[in-house]
Amino acid sequence: MPKKITIALAGNPNSGKTTIFNNLTGSRQHVGNYPGVTVEKKEGTLLYKGYTIHVVDLPGTYGLTAYSKDELIARNFIIDENPDVVIDIIDSSNLERNLYLTTQFIDLEAPLVLAFNMHDTAEKEGLSIDKEKLSELLGSPIVFTVGNKKLGMSELLDEAINVAERKTPLEGTIVRYGREIREEIVHLESVIAEEESLIGKYSSRWLAIKLLDGDRDVRKKIEKSTQGREILEKAGKSASHIKSIFGDPSEAVMAERRYGFISGAVSEAARRTIETRHSVSDAIDKVLLNKVLGLPIFFVVVWAMFKVTFSLSAPMMRLIERAQAFLGGLVSVVLPGEGTLESLIVDGVIAGVGSVLVFAPVIFLLFLVMALLEDSGYMARAAFLMDGFMHKIGLHGRSFIPMLLGFGCNVPAIMATRTIEDRQDRFVTILINPFMSCGARLPIYALFIGAFFQEKIAGNVLFGIYFIGIVIAIITAKLFRRYIFKGETASFVMELPPYRMPTAKGIFTHMWERGYLYLKKAGTIIFVGSIVLWLLSHFPSGTMETSYAGAMGKKITPIFKPLGFDSWKVTTGLMAGFIGKENMVATLGILYSDKNVPGEGDSLRDSIQSARKPDGDKLFTPLSAFALMVFVLLYAPCIAVFAAIRVETNSLLWPVFMLFYTTAVAWIASFIVYQVGRSLGF
Amino acid sequence: MTKAIMSLAMARSGKELLVIAIEGGWGARRRLTEMGLREGAHCKLIQSSTSGPRVVLAGNTRLALGYGMCQKILVQEI
């Protein structure tokens, strides 16, 4: 039986953690979520020297306080799951800052191995480290690694096994907080140690330290214990004692001591021979963040991003559609006369698979470009450039790119919100995204604008539609911020990582992971949804008009009367739009092709121009056509968007909520347009 | 001669600065400390605009800080 070891990979964002994770686990990875939260959990297994090693990639964090969800997850994983080893990945050219996280692992008494990553770069920058000495000072083995060159990986595993087997000669260490603080820690420790409900799982020393750190999560835990109030009271006294000695709040003094411990160790065991400070990155930033050039360059980058994702994917999408048509044709040949079965396979199964696959090229390409921007370091700059503007509408700089991508397709746009760290910002950005008018809605506008508006104002009408979408997105963002996702907008603090040349492997791994997740998770929902909708529009009778969908369409049509487009055909078209917006035009095409009705059966444009209500009035006027376009812009997005929101929020609540509020907003906006327009005499 | 204490929002770019105090809430202070910007440390403003975010070099880390955050960080030229 091979022995099992669990390794947790921890480290600051941008420390090269993902690369090391990929190096260690190769393709044997599993991506899931931490229970109950939307934070991605990556795991992988490898066999090494007779050990089965399970590697868990913890979220990248700067600390282990309860400040953010990521930090809480990382910390709870170590406390609850007790991994045999924690590998803390450290950016060697930024030692002090990265070691700050390490001090918190030391406080936690985690079994540590330190990977001093990107060691080659640090060496080039003139840093030389006495590995043995620093290992001793930090009480943990150090391994020099270069993630993108796969250097140091087996050494890393060897040390991890040593630590797991307790064969390492290093005895661990504690952060030295100084006499006064140490006395308070010891004092609190003894009080905590009497509380039986706390000991066992947590070390009492760690709890004592966290109390002096003012950690909210630990305070809450202690409050619940029987002697909680007493302990907290003592902690309060200790904290004010420290404050009275040092003149600073205890958490500030603790932080200062941690940095003191770090700089003590680093100055003793490391030497910097040249003083360079990422001069290359600064030189690039001089141009890319330039007051005059920054924004134009950003817009060119975004334009290129659009171009690559949407233009390159278009031929592939056509190919998929053609394959779909070809397969459909093939089935009709193989199964002639089998009406319902044929239709199920062609319009249900093949169309369902097709509507999943048709998004694959655009999503893979988008993730490719995103990975390129992310890995090179530009994404953080883009957020920086847009932050001032986005902040005014209550969003984060990182929300801009997803919003913009929404004009192409909301599905990849929603998946692109992954780069937004703050959950509140992220959810708001996801939920307003459907209001950004996607490309699939364009054919509907084109149809109605072409039919009811003169050519010279057509452009303005179209612009007006897009503009309404943007305005409503901004208003909704503000409302959501105020009523649902309350709390301060995450103050804008972000690291601008040094520019790096992205590696092909890294980018493709990124792309594949995310794209695959989409195909797997969203694909199921879209596929099942398509089949259900096929059933609804095909039964009991086989024709749209008398099907369940048609009956439903007729039933709900009256609610569109105040909006000016109460026709069951339009309603059914809107329902078809839920599978994919582009389906609406096709459905209207089928429904208005009845040769027995005068005026129909010519082009769809002529049909809708001459369509009449039962009372003989024209169904569409320019005003009601505009009201319909506003409705199309805003109402429930397609099922793929629903699925994307399901995947990204990891809950059913949000996508269902989204269906209702978008449709409600659509109705209200369309109502206002129609009624106000009428009273103005249009 | 002691130099004037001002907020980071007022500081000139290119100058070495000493962080005197961070006046944010517990969370914001903690976050900045973990990211390497802490009281008593040196930093340098490397990019600023009228009311937008700023780029600060703290240790070997470039941090983008929102204008509001910069107003809460007190610094002194050195």
Side-chain angles (χ1 to χ4, degrees):
Chain A
M1 266 293 277
K3 285 187 82 169
K4 279 187 183 163
I5 293 180
T6 304
I7 296 179
L9 282 191
N12 280 183
N14 308 309
S15 59
K17 201 160 62 70
T18 312
T19 316
I20 292 199
F21 177 75
N22 289 338
N23 287 348
L24 291 180
T25 58
S27 54
R28 297 167 302 273
Q29 296 183 4
H30 171 80
V31 185
N33 279 301
Y34 285 95
V37 289
T38 49
V39 179
E40 208 171 75
K41 183 185 193 186
K42 287 203 287 184
E43 297 168 274
T45 316
L46 70 145
L47 297 168
Y48 183 78
K49 292 192 177 165
Y51 290 88
T52 307
I53 301 178
H54 181 64
V55 188
V56 179
D57 190 19
L58 298 180
T61 61
Y62 295 103
L64 285 182
T65 41
Y67 181 76
S68 73
K69 206 163 241 170
D70 285 359
E71 297 183 20
L72 207 54
I73 286 169
R75 160 166 132 183
N76 287 346
F77 184 85
I78 290 164
I79 294 170
D80 297 333
E81 313 279 321
N82 256 319
D84 299 297
V85 187
V86 176
I87 296 183
D88 179 9
I89 292 153
I90 285 160
D91 174 359
S92 305
S93 48
N94 203 346
L95 273 187
E96 280 87 350
R97 214 265 325 268
N98 279 258
L99 285 172
Y100 190 80
L101 177 67
T102 314
T103 60
Q104 307 201 19
F105 284 120
I106 295 174
D107 282 343
L108 253 182
E109 291 156 45
L112 273 179
V113 173
L114 307 178
F116 278 36
N117 198 25
M118 301 186 259
H119 184 250
D120 54 342
T121 320
E123 230 169 19
K124 248 180 252 155
E125 287 170 6
L127 183 79
S128 65
I129 299 170
D130 182 343
K131 192 161 79 169
E132 274 66 45
K133 195 174 219 173
L134 195 56
S135 295
E136 217 166 278
L137 290 168
L138 297 173
S140 319
I142 292 172
V143 179
F144 291 150
T145 58
V146 183
N148 52 14
K149 290 180 189 154
K150 292 193 182 181
L151 296 177
M153 294 303 124
S154 51
E155 242 184 302
L156 198 57
L157 289 171
D158 290 337
E159 286 296 352
I161 291 171
N162 275 345
V163 168
E165 297 282 14
R166 306 190 200 290
K167 280 184 194 152
T168 178
L170 296 158
E171 285 176 8
T173 186
I174 52 168
V175 179
R176 282 173 286 280
Y177 288 103
R179 188 176 58 84
E180 294 87 351
I181 294 177
R182 191 179 60 229
E183 277 167 11
E184 297 305 324
I185 293 175
V186 170
H187 173 62
L188 278 177
E189 224 185 310
S190 63
V191 189
I192 293 167
E194 285 168 26
E195 174 64 58
E196 276 171 24
S197 63
L198 292 171
I199 49 176
K201 195 168 172 189
Y202 307 100
S203 110
S204 46
R205 181 181 142 84
W206 181 72
L207 289 175
I209 292 172
K210 285 292 125 182
L211 280 177
L212 294 178
D213 263 338
D215 190 290
R216 285 176 234 169
D217 188 59
V218 165
R219 284 185 71 93
K220 259 187 239 153
K221 279 209 175 77
I222 289 184
E223 218 165 19
K224 281 188 214 139
S225 69
T226 34
Q227 299 179 53
R229 288 193 44 196
E230 208 178 310
I231 297 173
L232 289 183
E233 208 174 289
K234 291 235 162 80
K237 268 189 202 152
S238 294
S240 45
H241 179 62
I242 293 172
K243 193 173 176 183
S244 72
I245 299 176
F246 297 100
D248 275 320
S250 66
E251 72 263 21
V253 183
M254 305 279 287
E256 199 183 294
R257 289 299 152 90
R258 289 194 185 107
Y259 272 114
F261 171 78
I262 294 164
S263 49
V266 171
S267 64
E268 206 170 314
R271 213 155 302 286
R272 229 178 284 274
T273 46
I274 329 164
E275 188 68 18
T276 48
R277 290 180 142 188
H278 288 292
S279 46
V280 181
S281 275
D282 279 339
I284 300 174
D285 272 340
K286 280 231 161 63
V287 180
L288 294 186
L289 295 184
N290 185 284
K291 273 169 216 163
V292 183
L293 294 173
L295 278 177
I297 293 174
F298 170 67
F299 285 117
V300 169
V301 169
V302 167
W303 176 83
M305 183 172 179
F306 248 81
K307 199 80 190 148
V308 169
T309 29
F310 294 111
S311 314
L312 282 186
S313 63
M316 289 188 251
M317 288 168 100
R318 272 200 296 278
L319 209 68
I320 291 169
E321 279 163 354
R322 220 173 282 164
Q324 193 182 328
F326 172 76
L327 276 177
L330 208 65
V331 171
S332 310
V333 175
V334 177
L335 294 169
E338 300 272 352
T340 309
L341 180 65
E342 181 198 322
S343 172
L344 170 66
I345 294 176
V346 176
D347 304 325
V349 178
I350 295 178
V353 174
S355 51
V356 175
L357 285 183
V358 90
F359 282 107
V362 71
I363 283 184
F364 277 95
L365 278 168
L366 174 79
F367 283 148
L368 184 80
V369 179
M370 295 263 297
L372 192 72
L373 295 181
E374 195 74 63
D375 290 4
S376 64
Y378 187 71
M379 200 59 116
R381 270 79 182 178
F384 172 83
L385 287 168
M386 288 314 296
D387 189 66
F389 172 73
M390 296 304 283
H391 217 77
K392 289 198 181 89
I393 58 172
L395 288 171
H396 192 276
R398 295 212 170 209
S399 307
F400 186 78
I401 285 185
M403 301 273 287
L404 204 64
L405 284 170
F407 288 127
C409 175
N410 302 114
V411 174
I414 284 165
M415 308 199 90
T417 59
R418 287 186 173 205
T419 57
I420 306 169
E421 281 166 41
D422 181 73
R423 177 181 176 271
Q424 312 258 3
D425 285 333
R426 183 155 173 242
F427 275 39
V428 173
T429 312
I430 289 176
L431 292 173
I432 62 169
N433 203 281
F435 294 139
M436 312 309 283
S437 190
C438 71
R441 278 170 255 188
L442 197 56
I444 310 173
Y445 308 144
L447 172 67
F448 282 89
I449 290 175
F452 297 100
F453 293 91
Q454 288 170 342
E455 213 166 291
K456 61 177 187 233
I457 61 160
N460 295 349
V461 175
L462 187 64
F463 178 78
I465 293 281
Y466 276 80
F467 187 72
I468 289 173
I470 296 168
V471 169
I472 293 211
I474 293 174
I475 295 172
T476 326
K478 290 214 157 191
L479 289 177
F480 279 179
R481 265 259 166 245
R482 179 165 306 165
Y483 296 108
I484 303 177
F485 298 98
K486 290 181 212 162
E488 49 205 301
T489 316
S491 39
F492 187 68
V493 184
M494 196 178 53
E495 186 182 352
L496 297 180
Y499 289 102
R500 284 189 193 120
M501 191 49 111
T503 64
K505 190 176 171 244
I507 288 172
F508 280 101
T509 318
H510 259 138
M511 176 193 84
W512 176 251
E513 269 172 13
R514 292 173 182 186
Y516 178 72
L517 193 73
Y518 163 79
L519 282 185
K520 203 173 86 179
K521 289 208 177 167
T524 325
I525 301 174
I526 297 171
F527 180 69
V528 172
S530 303
I531 301 276
V532 169
L533 282 164
W534 175 82
L535 288 172
L536 287 178
S537 60
H538 211 79
F539 283 93
S541 57
T543 65
M544 187 78 93
E545 181 169 2
T546 49
S547 70
Y548 293 119
M552 246 155 70
K554 283 183 176 167
K555 226 182 214 123
I556 55 177
T557 297
I559 67 165
F560 294 119
K561 197 164 172 58
L563 314 186
F565 46 85
D566 49 325
S567 149
W568 73 270
K569 294 183 180 179
V570 175
T571 315
T572 311
L574 287 170
M575 282 173 18
F578 183 59
I579 309 182
K581 296 288 159 181
E582 64 280 5
N583 286 0
M584 184 172 170
V585 174
T587 306
L588 288 179
I590 297 165
L591 294 176
Y592 280 107
S593 59
D594 190 342
K595 296 249 192 289
N596 302 321
V597 178
E600 289 194 9
D602 304 330
S603 80
L604 178 55
R605 178 191 291 202
D606 296 338
S607 306
I608 58 168
Q609 266 173 347
S610 52
R612 284 175 194 281
K613 295 186 186 185
D615 59 13
D617 283 347
K618 278 212 164 180
L619 173 61
F620 285 111
T621 61
L623 178 63
S624 65
F626 190 73
L628 174 64
M629 286 191 281
V630 169
F631 192 84
V632 166
L633 162 76
L634 302 171
Y635 87 114
C638 69
I639 190 162
V641 173
F642 180 89
I645 297 181
R646 163 79 185 84
V647 173
E648 292 305 309
T649 60
N650 199 23
S651 106
L652 252 180
L653 172 79
W654 292 114
V656 170
F657 169 70
M658 184 270 313
L659 287 189
F660 283 101
Y661 85 76
T662 48
T663 310
V665 166
W667 195 90
I668 294 167
S670 186
F671 177 84
I672 293 172
V673 165
Y674 187 65
Q675 296 299 338
V676 171
R678 265 211 336 184
S679 64
L680 292 176
F682 284 103
Chain B
M1 192 188 97
T2 48
K3 295 224 172 114
I5 293 173
M6 62 196 151
S7 84
L8 190 54
M10 297 293 142
R12 281 181 295 171
S13 48
K15 290 268 191 263
E16 286 281 334
L17 304 164
L18 174 72
V19 181
I20 304 290
I22 299 173
E23 295 181 329
W26 184 84
R29 260 177 89 135
R30 171 51 50 95
R31 186 79 196 257
L32 288 174
T33 304
E34 288 168 352
M35 294 177 99
L37 190 75
R38 59 201 161 93
E39 290 168 9
H42 291 186
C43 70
K44 189 171 151 189
L45 193 64
I46 49 179
Q47 189 107 24
S48 71
S49 55
T50 35
S51 66
R54 279 139 169 72
V55 182
V56 174
L57 184 68
N60 216 345
T61 310
R62 270 154 203 77
L63 294 177
L65 301 173
Y67 185 73
M69 184 68 102
C70 290
Q71 288 176 311
K72 293 179 187 154
I73 300 170
L74 299 183
V75 294
Q76 193 176 33
E77 280 184 10
I78 40 173

